[in-house]
Amino acid sequence: MAPLAARALRLVGLVLVLSVLVDYVASLVGANWSEPRWYVATSSQWIDRGVVPLVGLTFWFSGDWLAQQLDPLSVTQQKLIRAIARILPLVLTVIFILAVPIHLSNAFTSQAQRLEEVQQQVQQQRQALDLQFQGAIAQQKQQLKQLFGTPGLFEQVKASGQIPADQVGELEKLVGKPEAEIDRFVDQRAAEAKQTQEAEIKANQEKQSNLIRREVTGNTIRTSLLGILLVIGYGGISWGILRQSPNHN
């Protein structure tokens, strides 16, 4: 059973390491090197998956050690795989040392881009709001002038219940008023309504911006700390391998 356990440990370790390396290579397919968000997503993915090769190497080295205890001559076998297994921790150490600052730099660049997109959306909403109010104001002025310019029409419409009860009092003040007074009334009400909607747009902008900042900050802290832990882990393995004498290779 011991030889089988040794082979199983090495096989499982090899599969774990290769599965992550395949994912790493696949993430580079169609890479957008000029897009900060691609760097953020890719570095996060690499660091999130970085623990798996660490576990895989632990399995492989455990199986390799067990195989050597069972058969000291096995040290001369599978030299290529053994050499790769000893070099890989050092390579991964360098990768994660680079991944952390790359993630930090591009995370804040990506945040700035996302905040700018939110600002552009707000500008578009405000422009659409301006156009909407311009058309609504002109239409309402025309309707009110017709309503008060036609004798008896206002009383008829009021009696039919077509005017909301909370607006009857305000509209009654316009009876007999000149058109300029009607224009001022419409402009004032439109300004108040527009101010309310602009406040809602601004509140929504602040909500989205704060959400983006919290998301980026949380992800950046998590990814950076995990990356540092991976550097320590792989660096420790690399240092242990380098300290081994050639007689133990």
Side-chain angles (χ1 to χ4, degrees):
M1 292 297 294
L4 177 60
R7 287 195 296 271
L9 285 171
R10 287 190 292 189
L11 180 60
V12 171
L14 188 62
V15 170
L16 288 174
V17 172
L18 289 178
S19 66
V20 174
L21 295 181
V22 169
D23 285 345
Y24 285 178
V25 173
S27 68
L28 297 177
V29 177
N32 190 350
W33 303 104
S34 62
E35 176 54 55
R37 296 184 195 182
W38 178 84
Y39 285 99
V40 172
T42 303
S43 58
S44 295
Q45 176 187 349
W46 282 36
I47 290 175
D48 285 344
R49 295 276 284 156
V51 176
V52 179
L54 194 62
V55 175
L57 287 170
T58 302
F59 274 106
W60 195 92
F61 283 123
S62 298
D64 190 54
W65 176 84
L66 180 58
Q68 291 183 49
Q69 302 307 307
L70 297 172
D71 181 10
L73 296 179
S74 66
V75 71
T76 61
Q77 300 173 357
Q78 301 179 343
K79 289 185 177 181
L80 179 60
I81 296 179
R82 286 170 54 82
I84 294 175
R86 290 172 178 271
I87 294 174
L88 188 59
L90 180 60
V91 174
L92 290 173
T93 301
V94 175
I95 288 176
F96 292 120
I97 287 176
L98 296 176
V100 172
I102 288 175
H103 180 85
L104 286 172
S105 174
N106 287 279
F108 291 110
T109 302
S110 174
Q111 174 181 290
Q113 289 181 344
R114 293 174 65 183
L115 292 175
E116 178 62 25
E117 290 175 358
V118 171
Q119 179 63 33
Q120 291 176 356
Q121 292 175 0
V122 169
Q123 291 177 353
Q124 293 174 356
Q125 290 174 354
R126 286 175 175 168
Q127 291 174 356
L129 186 64
D130 288 339
L131 294 174
Q132 177 184 349
F133 269 87
Q134 288 176 9
I137 289 172
Q139 182 179 7
Q140 190 171 13
K141 285 180 179 180
Q142 181 180 0
Q143 291 175 346
L144 289 180
K145 289 175 183 178
Q146 181 179 359
L147 179 65
F148 294 109
T150 304
L153 181 58
F154 174 71
E155 296 298 331
Q156 179 182 349
V157 173
K158 183 177 67 171
S160 66
Q162 298 181 35
I163 301 176
D166 59 339
Q167 298 181 14
V168 172
E170 293 184 23
L171 293 179
E172 285 179 340
K173 298 177 182 179
L174 297 177
V175 177
K177 297 293 184 180
E179 292 186 353
E181 189 70 21
I182 295 175
D183 289 343
R184 282 194 295 271
F185 171 79
V186 174
D187 289 338
Q188 181 180 356
R189 292 192 60 183
E192 294 173 354
K194 184 179 179 182
Q195 185 177 6
T196 300
Q197 293 198 27
E198 286 181 340
E200 292 177 357
I201 292 175
K202 183 177 180 180
N204 186 52
Q205 177 189 6
E206 292 178 353
K207 181 179 178 180
Q208 291 186 50
S209 298
N210 291 334
L211 182 62
I212 290 172
R213 293 189 183 96
R214 287 196 299 269
E215 177 187 335
V216 171
T217 300
N219 181 62
T220 299
I221 293 174
R222 174 186 174 278
T223 302
S224 299
L225 292 178
L226 181 55
I228 292 172
L229 290 176
L230 290 174
V231 170
I232 294 173
Y234 286 110
I237 293 177
S238 301
W239 177 248
I241 292 174
L242 292 174
R243 290 188 59 186
Q244 284 185 340
S245 64
N247 293 332
H248 291 84
N249 289 338

